Amino acid sequence: MALTTTTTPEELSYAEAAVRALAQEMQADPRVVVLGEDVGRGGIFGQYKGLQQRFGESRVIDTPISEAAIMGAGVGMALAGLRPVVEMRVVDFALCGMDELVNQAAKNRFMFGGQGRVPLVARMPGGIWDASAAQHSQSLEAWFAHMPGLVVVCPATPQDNHGLLRAALQCGDPVVYIEHKTLWGLRGEVDDSLEVPLGRARRVREGDALTLVSWSRQLQACTAACDALAAEGIAVDLIDLRTLWPWDRETVLASCARTRRLLVVHEAVQVAGFGAEIAASAAEATGCRVARLGAPRIPVGYAPVLEAQSRVGAEAVAAAARKLLD
Amino acid sequence: MDTSSSSPDGAALYRTMVRIRAFENAAEAASQGGVSAYGQEAAGSARVRGPLHLSTGQEAVPAGVCAHLRTSDYLTSTHRGHGHTLAKGADLGRMMCELFGKATGFNGGKGGSMHIADFSVGMLGANGVVAAGLPIAVGAAHAQKLLGKGDGITVCFFGDGAINRGPFLEALNWARVYQLPVLFVCEDNRWSATTASGPMTAGDGASVRAQAMDIAATQVDGNDVFAVHAAAAALVAAVRGGGGPRLLHALTYRVKGHVSVDVAAYRDAAELAAALETDPIARARAHLLAHGMAGSALDAIENAARDEVATALAMADAAPWPEAGAAFTDVQTTGAGQWH
């Protein structure tokens, strides 16, 4: 895997794009360190591949299975002048380090009156992971978006995983960085020179009939739905939010004001999901018609037929869009 | 405070303890009518509002330990952190301002007693969550090692209740695995909020648990400031010398209730009476007098502490409240202005 910086766009996987971003940041800033389980071997998804060989065991630190200590040590490291990347393996396991993230990392700067800063990136792969059942398939981004002090990032493409990870490492605030468990092999062009700022959405498709907002892997279902709708003459304005906090209100609300209809789609449980926040904001600001589409409020099941109940597919997205246009 | 000497400066240790006691006595008086989880109503008259966790009777531990620390060393603390913060060298007046919630406090009124901190002297914060300071401490120590901060160390204070939380195990294991320059200090005050710790704790407590993880531990009479000072001298020297983590298990007693308005009616009066017999300040005073120090010199130290606290109270009373807009600052930079 290429770790060097290049100005020629290159096709990389979502995982390779992250490795490259990290390598570039570690090269540029000796304060950046990685800590977590199995990171020395490259991480369970290859998202740290080659980094320990290149930067050594003291900067890519293999740790015990101690999520609270990984996250908490990351807070202490950040307070003492480092810029840690803390690996949580999957978002489900990050819950074992919740105090350290929510009560410590997110609150530190405010609670101590600005004496401390916690520039920490917590990587916690999220979303449904095939046949992995209820404790390895959750989408918890709305929890973190609810927490003042945290930044929440959900990249959907290799290019964004490169650009957003670099931006996350440079931003100086604690960042919850949620890569999707099934996007690691997704390939796409990555242009090293392209900056992807936090808080800026990406317009994936342009159209006037309807605004469709989504993020992470659900973009794929939404894109397929847009194709089906386009065949029916329905042009959708598809927006990839990319960052949930801060979220790009300007882009979303401008689109809603134009189309007068908004559908938010996410893989997470629909109840109290981040879709509700976007829908409410759009309705308040533009008076447009809104709808949400997410998973039912059930744990993700193991058997294919059960797991499928939690999946929001392209057909459901298209159907929800048609209903909104009625 | 910057001394690596193992021979104690008795006057300095005494001064640290009486300053802590005077500060907390004043804070306690100023908190009457404050918020409680134990049935009392909040009253607008309280100048120190919210939960105030006092360390009355425990002063020998921070005094004896912090005498060996430099400003550049780090310290993490508990919700009962006034003594640690003062012993680490924080300004007493600005601490009182913070307890009053004033703009001139260390945290600009955003933290109060439970989050008292002075990063400028390496005091990285009191914490409202039991055991939460332990992982932060090992992270700070890990950074000291990675950044090549000479022989700088991190000291982590926690209570006996904390050893029953997972982060205690995780942090001790972490410190030993990476051989970090951290001194864990268990202030064993025998109470976990309003429940006695003993019946809630399997085995013999912090030092034994540390030894099980190959971390050398010393148990000490935590109400004897000279004993604490001597034990900490050896442990700090070992940690500073690159010997990896150590643990000090200081046996002391929480004289007050869990928070200032908790009269601790759940406690056996005989237990408290026995504990008061071993008050660390009275013991230190007797020891110093027996070793030739003049009573007038000790009185002068106490009077100076009282004067300092009186000045701090006046300063805190006169200080301005934070601007309302400060509620929106220091939250985060990314997305600032999108709070609503």
Side-chain angles (χ1 to χ4, degrees):
Chain A
M1 186 183 308
L3 292 174
T4 50
T5 305
T6 168
T7 51
T8 315
E10 193 178 342
E11 192 177 278
L12 296 177
S13 73
Y14 187 80
E16 289 164 347
V19 172
R20 177 171 293 184
L22 255 181
Q24 287 165 343
E25 289 304 308
M26 293 182 78
Q27 184 71 40
D29 187 347
R31 297 171 301 170
V32 177
V33 298
V34 172
L35 53 156
E37 301 155 21
D38 297 325
V39 293
R41 290 170 181 266
I44 52 173
F45 303 106
Q47 75 274 45
Y48 300 96
K49 195 174 174 187
L51 292 178
Q52 192 180 64
Q53 290 87 330
R54 179 166 169 188
F55 295 102
E57 291 178 8
S58 64
R59 288 189 68 195
V60 180
I61 304 162
D62 282 311
T63 70
I65 300 174
S66 302
E67 287 79 7
I70 296 167
M71 188 71 82
V75 175
M77 286 179 173
L79 293 175
L82 295 175
R83 299 177 82 90
V85 175
V86 300
E87 170 61 29
M88 289 285 110
R89 210 175 180 93
V90 286
V91 71
D92 318 71
F93 300 170
L95 304 191
C96 301
M98 207 56 138
D99 170 62
E100 288 70 19
L101 177 64
V102 172
N103 289 323
Q104 312 300 330
K107 304 291 191 296
N108 191 286
R109 182 175 166 191
F110 180 86
M111 191 163 77
F112 296 121
Q115 295 184 77
R117 291 292 297 269
V118 183
L120 169 154
V121 176
R123 291 177 81 182
M124 40 181 84
I128 295 177
W129 196 12
D130 294 359
S132 298
Q135 295 174 342
H136 286 68
S137 283
Q138 296 174 84
S139 299
L140 302 177
E141 62 269 22
W143 288 26
F144 303 111
H146 193 71
M147 280 307 142
L150 298 179
V151 175
V152 183
V153 181
C154 296
T157 67
Q159 177 71 65
D160 280 357
N161 207 18
H162 178 268
L164 289 170
L165 188 52
R166 293 193 74 177
L169 277 159
Q170 291 168 14
C171 86
D173 290 314
V175 179
V176 171
Y177 197 87
I178 303 177
E179 289 146 298
H180 199 287
K181 295 170 193 123
T182 61
L183 287 181
W184 294 110
L186 178 71
R187 300 192 73 80
E189 280 215 334
V190 175
D191 180 348
D192 274 337
S193 64
L194 208 61
E195 288 187 13
V196 185
L198 300 172
R200 200 77 54 78
R202 177 176 66 102
R203 177 164 278 107
V204 182
R205 295 285 170 89
E206 288 190 35
D208 292 323
L210 173 85
T211 300
L212 181 54
V213 174
S214 192
W215 53 88
S216 193
R217 190 181 65 162
Q218 210 55 47
L219 250 296
Q220 296 178 359
C222 289
T223 306
C226 286
D227 289 342
L229 292 165
E232 300 165 25
I234 301 168
V236 173
D237 215 31
L238 174 59
I239 294 170
D240 173 4
L241 209 54
R242 297 203 283 204
T243 308
L244 268 63
W245 191 271
W247 67 282
D248 191 345
R249 289 171 60 94
E250 200 179 325
T251 296
V252 171
L253 299 185
S255 175
C256 292
R258 193 158 47 81
T259 67
R260 308 301 300 162
R261 287 174 176 82
L262 167 69
L263 173 63
V264 190
V265 175
H266 53 65
E267 189 172 312
V269 166
Q270 182 174 311
V271 173
F274 199 66
E277 171 65 27
I278 299 171
S281 297
E284 284 167 356
T286 71
C288 72
R289 284 186 69 185
V290 298
R292 297 168 289 156
L293 186 60
R297 194 174 179 278
I298 53 174
V300 176
Y302 167 68
V305 65
L306 303 180
E307 186 185 271
Q309 299 305 307
S310 289
R311 289 189 185 276
V312 178
E315 282 180 22
V317 175
R322 287 187 201 101
K323 194 174 166 198
L324 199 56
L325 289 165
D326 276 348
Chain B
M1 197 156 316
D2 186 353
T3 171
S4 54
S5 168
S6 58
S7 61
D9 177 345
L13 293 174
Y14 192 72
R15 177 172 180 268
T16 303
M17 289 197 293
V18 299
R19 285 177 83 234
I20 296 169
R21 180 73 60 91
F23 178 87
E24 290 204 314
N25 283 347
E28 183 182 21
S31 78
Q32 295 308 307
V35 178
S36 169
Y38 304 94
Q40 287 88 344
E41 291 293 313
S45 60
R47 292 183 294 168
V48 174
R49 302 170 65 250
L52 179 76
H53 304 88
L54 300 166
S55 65
T56 311
Q58 303 178 200
E59 297 89 346
V61 188
V65 170
C66 293
H68 303 288
L69 302 186
R70 305 165 184 162
T71 301
S72 55
D73 292 324
Y74 291 126
L75 181 72
T76 68
S77 175
T78 70
H79 53 286
R80 208 174 294 286
H82 307 137
H84 312 145
T85 311
L86 279 170
K88 189 69 171 72
D91 181 77
L92 187 149
R94 290 196 65 196
M95 279 183 61
M96 193 64 81
C97 290
E98 185 58 35
L99 265 58
F100 276 52
K102 297 300 183 74
T104 48
F106 279 121
N107 314 14
K110 291 179 174 181
S113 160
M114 256 193 302
H115 308 303
I116 195 76
D118 180 3
F119 282 47
S120 73
V121 298
M123 200 294 186
L124 299 181
N127 209 305
V129 180
V130 170
L134 285 121
I136 295 173
V138 298
H142 209 139
Q144 286 172 312
K145 186 172 179 176
L146 294 179
L147 291 168
K149 293 259 184 177
D151 57 356
I153 69 169
T154 298
V155 171
C156 173
F157 283 101
F158 56 96
D160 44 311
I163 73 170
N164 292 327
R165 286 209 62 231
F168 170 80
L169 168 74
E170 294 194 14
L172 262 64
N173 181 63
W174 188 285
R176 180 61 186 86
V177 164
Y178 301 109
Q179 283 287 71
L180 298 178
V182 57
L183 173 63
F184 298 104
V185 180
C186 178
E187 284 183 310
D188 189 343
N189 70 15
R190 298 175 55 185
W191 285 89
S192 301
T194 65
T195 297
S197 298
M200 295 295 138
T201 306
D204 291 330
S207 47
V208 175
R209 291 187 187 183
Q211 284 155 3
M213 280 187 274
D214 195 29
I215 294 174
T218 302
Q219 207 172 79
V220 68
D221 178 350
N223 279 22
D224 178 347
V225 72
F226 301 102
V228 173
H229 184 274
L235 297 171
V236 167
V239 174
R240 250 192 236 297
R246 295 287 189 278
L247 184 140
L248 178 65
H249 185 176
L251 301 166
T252 181
Y253 191 77
R254 192 191 76 198
V255 169
K256 302 285 183 175
H258 177 53
V259 291
S260 63
V261 290
D262 166 23
V263 297
Y266 43 83
R267 184 166 57 189
D268 180 2
E271 178 184 302
L272 174 62
L276 290 174
E277 294 291 312
T278 67
D279 180 79
I281 294 178
R283 282 173 69 180
R285 185 179 173 99
H287 175 98
L288 290 168
L289 287 172
H291 286 75
M293 198 155 170
S296 58
L298 295 169
D299 291 343
I301 289 172
E302 290 177 22
N303 291 335
R306 272 195 288 269
D307 289 347
E308 190 185 2
V309 167
T311 303
L313 285 169
M315 185 202 299
D317 273 326
W321 293 105
E323 301 283 343
F328 296 86
T329 61
D330 287 321
V331 179
Q332 59 190 106
T333 301
T334 318
Q338 290 199 30
W339 311 133
H340 297 290

